[in-house]
Amino acid sequence: MNTKVTAAGVTFKNPILTASGTFGAGEEYSQFVDLNRLGGVITKGVSNVPWEGNPTPRIAEVYGGMLNAIGLQNPGVDVLIKRDLPFLKKYDTKVIVNVCGKSVYDYLEVVEKLNDQPVDLLEINISCPNVKQGGIAFGQAPNMAAHITQEIRKKSNKPVIIKLSPNVTNIAEMAKAVEAAGADVISLINTLTGMKIDVKKRRFVLANKTGGLSGPAVHPIAVRMVYEAAQAVKIPIIGMGGVMSAEDALELMLAGASVVAVGTANFTNPTATIDIMNDIRQFMLTEGIQDINELIGAVHQ
């Protein structure tokens, strides 16, 4: 039985990854999960300098998931290089670093520092607000998404994944824009913008007012957007969004994803990634599937 999948020339032993921001750099989960059994680890977003993140409260539980307004708090790329990458390289798993920034320069500084590091791919979080464009996210306009993709592709010697925001009118248009600009892979979906209000206090629950909605509530949207993107581009797709079970992961693969990232599920079940991969293997055995690649994009009317 073959569970290996390939994206941008990188072969993963299986299609299950950890979604950025839900697994740190793996160290805190390593007591629950054998990282050697994962297809890969996507680190928490890293910037060129330390970011403090947003004021608290910045997490809220909601129907079918959670809202987060962490604000990409992180200690910066230098700490990742010194502390996190040496830890991850102890394991036989692919390492993907998620990169964030507030300007094109910020992104490029991180990308260039990672060029000579033991990293397999870079995932570029273009849902970050561009401070030089009045706070509009890089990922909300095709021309801005294409521009940052093009600039990063020029500087990076690693395969580049562009992580698309679902907070757009036409996901296929965004996918085509970054593919044309040189993206090697796309990943989607990032969180949807949501809000929660405390009706007794008549106050916003999150200090930031809005937050990113993740969890099972967003899964049907993720399936639809992965399918639409897969119809529009030829590059591989990493699918994510509310993956809680093997069935959820397989849905994204049938819609067109080659690889699947598990996020919010890690908070409720630290072994979710391994459980999902075990259940995918069982599904393949039961259904007589010899090669998991048979399932990629295999949905039909």
Side-chain angles (χ1 to χ4, degrees):
M1 183 196 301
N2 177 49
T3 61
K4 290 180 182 176
V5 293
T6 301
V10 176
T11 299
F12 300 87
K13 67 177 70 172
N14 65 62
I16 300 300
L17 314 178
T18 62
S20 175
T22 65
F23 208 77
E27 190 162 5
E28 57 264 52
Y29 277 88
S30 60
Q31 60 184 305
F32 304 107
V33 175
D34 178 2
L35 303 189
N36 295 304
R37 296 183 62 197
L38 295 174
V41 172
I42 306 178
T43 70
K44 181 169 171 45
V46 64
S47 50
N48 59 335
V49 294
W51 284 6
E52 289 186 4
N54 290 325
T56 58
R58 51 192 192 179
I59 290 179
E61 197 169 340
V62 295
Y63 293 125
M66 61 179 282
L67 288 172
N68 94 79
I70 303 298
L72 293 163
Q73 177 182 340
N74 76 92
V77 66
D78 293 336
V79 172
L80 175 101
I81 290 169
K82 185 177 177 182
R83 180 191 68 191
D84 299 331
L85 294 183
F87 170 79
L88 284 169
K89 288 321 291 178
K90 293 191 261 178
Y91 296 92
D92 177 24
T93 191
K94 299 303 178 186
V95 176
I96 303 169
V97 174
N98 182 282
V99 179
C100 49
K102 295 174 181 172
S103 68
V104 174
Y105 172 82
D106 292 351
Y107 283 94
L108 294 181
E109 196 172 5
V110 177
V111 167
E112 289 179 322
K113 283 190 174 186
L114 293 172
N115 271 339
D116 62 351
Q117 295 298 319
V119 172
D120 296 291
L121 304 97
L122 301 180
E123 182 183 58
I124 311 301
N125 179 5
I126 61 169
S127 296
C128 299
N130 183 350
V131 292
K132 295 194 174 172
Q133 295 286 336
I136 182 173
F138 289 96
Q140 287 184 316
N143 62 327
M144 286 172 62
H147 173 63
I148 193 164
T149 302
Q150 198 168 40
E151 293 305 304
I152 288 170
R153 185 61 281 166
K154 284 181 201 168
K155 298 289 185 184
S156 177
N157 62 15
K158 315 282 186 190
V160 173
I161 306 161
I162 300 294
K163 187 170 187 178
L164 300 181
S165 168
N167 301 305
V168 296
T169 306
N170 187 331
I171 197 71
E173 185 182 20
M174 297 300 298
K176 285 193 282 192
V178 299
E179 179 186 43
D184 299 294
V185 183
I186 55 173
S187 63
L188 66 155
I189 58 174
N190 208 328
T191 56
L192 287 142
T193 306
M195 180 183 282
K196 184 175 173 68
I197 295 170
D198 185 318
V199 296
K200 290 185 178 176
K201 295 180 181 175
R202 303 182 190 182
R203 294 173 64 99
F204 297 105
V205 172
L206 298 175
N208 196 57
K209 295 184 183 176
T210 61
L213 175 65
S214 64
V218 309
H219 182 68
I221 298 166
V223 174
R224 187 262 297 178
M225 287 194 165
V226 165
Y227 176 76
E228 289 178 352
Q231 300 306 300
V233 299
K234 293 183 170 61
I235 54 176
I237 294 172
I238 300 174
M240 63 192 75
V243 177
M244 306 297 286
S245 66
E247 185 174 330
D248 294 338
L250 291 164
E251 265 194 285
L252 288 171
M253 294 189 77
L254 288 166
S258 300
V259 193
V260 173
V262 178
T264 301
N266 293 309
F267 297 138
T268 56
N269 173 17
T271 64
T273 46
I274 302 300
D275 295 347
I276 288 168
M277 194 55 230
N278 287 341
D279 289 346
I280 287 175
R281 284 196 180 92
Q282 188 56 53
F283 175 85
M284 290 174 70
L285 279 171
T286 304
E287 298 294 316
I289 297 161
Q290 293 301 312
D291 186 345
I292 200 160
N293 291 276
E294 293 172 27
L295 299 174
I296 298 170
V299 67
H300 54 81
Q301 199 63 40

